[in-house]
Amino acid sequence: MRDGKMQPMLNTAQFRPDSTDWFTSTRTNNGNQCVEVRFDGDAVLIRDSKFRRNPAHCGRPEPVITVTAADWMSFLATVQSHPTDPSPLTAHPSLDGGAILRHGEISLVYTPGEWAAFVAGVRDGEFDRIALNA
């Protein structure tokens, strides 16, 4: 409040810079098991935080899905059950409430808790990305 007037609250999650570090939903409980996202220009990168902690993966390349900002926003609309255009990135629900993200040959598997935190972040606009003009 300033000068007796309420100031609008800014939702900074929707105004991320062109490039970011990896981030997760604010709904993620421990930060060790989550959908991780990174914006890099017009690209959106997605990975699974569990991969790096698994000793069996030592020395193996980490699977990372990369899509355009436009495909990402179409995917987020689908996650919220408001499909717009088809996206090459798809989510396949698992019987336990988790999900498998697929793009081409890359699949990322998320637990029910990880997926619930991601979907909550999507609904809050934490992962919104506007396509950059070329």
Side-chain angles (χ1 to χ4, degrees), residues 55-56 58 60 65 74 79-80 87 96 108 114 131 134:
C58 186
R60 291 178 46 200
I65 292 174
S74 293
V79 168
Q80 295 185 73
S87 172
D96 65 358
L108 303 174
E114 293 168 338

Side-chain angles (χ1 to χ4, degrees), residues 47-65:
R47 69 182 183 186
D48 183 353
S49 64
K50 293 187 303 294
F51 183 88
R52 289 176 311 289
R53 289 190 331 278
N54 186 336
H57 296 155
C58 186
R60 291 178 46 200
E62 181 176 15
V64 175
I65 292 174

Side-chain angles (χ1 to χ4, degrees), residues 97-110:
I100 301 170
L101 287 188
R102 289 198 175 108
H103 182 262
E105 298 294 317
I106 300 174
S107 296
L108 303 174
V109 179
Y110 296 102

Side-chain angles (χ1 to χ4, degrees), residues 18-99:
D18 295 346
S19 295
T20 64
D21 288 329
W22 291 97
F23 67 97
T24 64
S25 168
T26 59
R27 306 288 185 96
T28 301
N29 289 332
N30 60 18
N32 291 326
Q33 295 183 352
C34 47
V35 178
E36 290 184 298
V37 175
R38 179 174 177 249
F39 298 147
D40 189 0
D42 192 41
V44 178
L45 293 77
I46 309 107
R47 69 182 183 186
D48 183 353
S49 64
K50 293 187 303 294
F51 183 88
R52 289 176 311 289
R53 289 190 331 278
N54 186 336
H57 296 155
C58 186
R60 291 178 46 200
E62 181 176 15
V64 175
I65 292 174
T66 304
V67 296
T68 66
D71 287 340
W72 177 248
M73 292 306 292
S74 293
F75 171 72
L76 295 183
T78 300
V79 168
Q80 295 185 73
S81 299
H82 306 294
T84 54
D85 299 316
S87 172
L89 176 62
T90 58
H92 303 273
S94 57
L95 294 176
D96 65 358

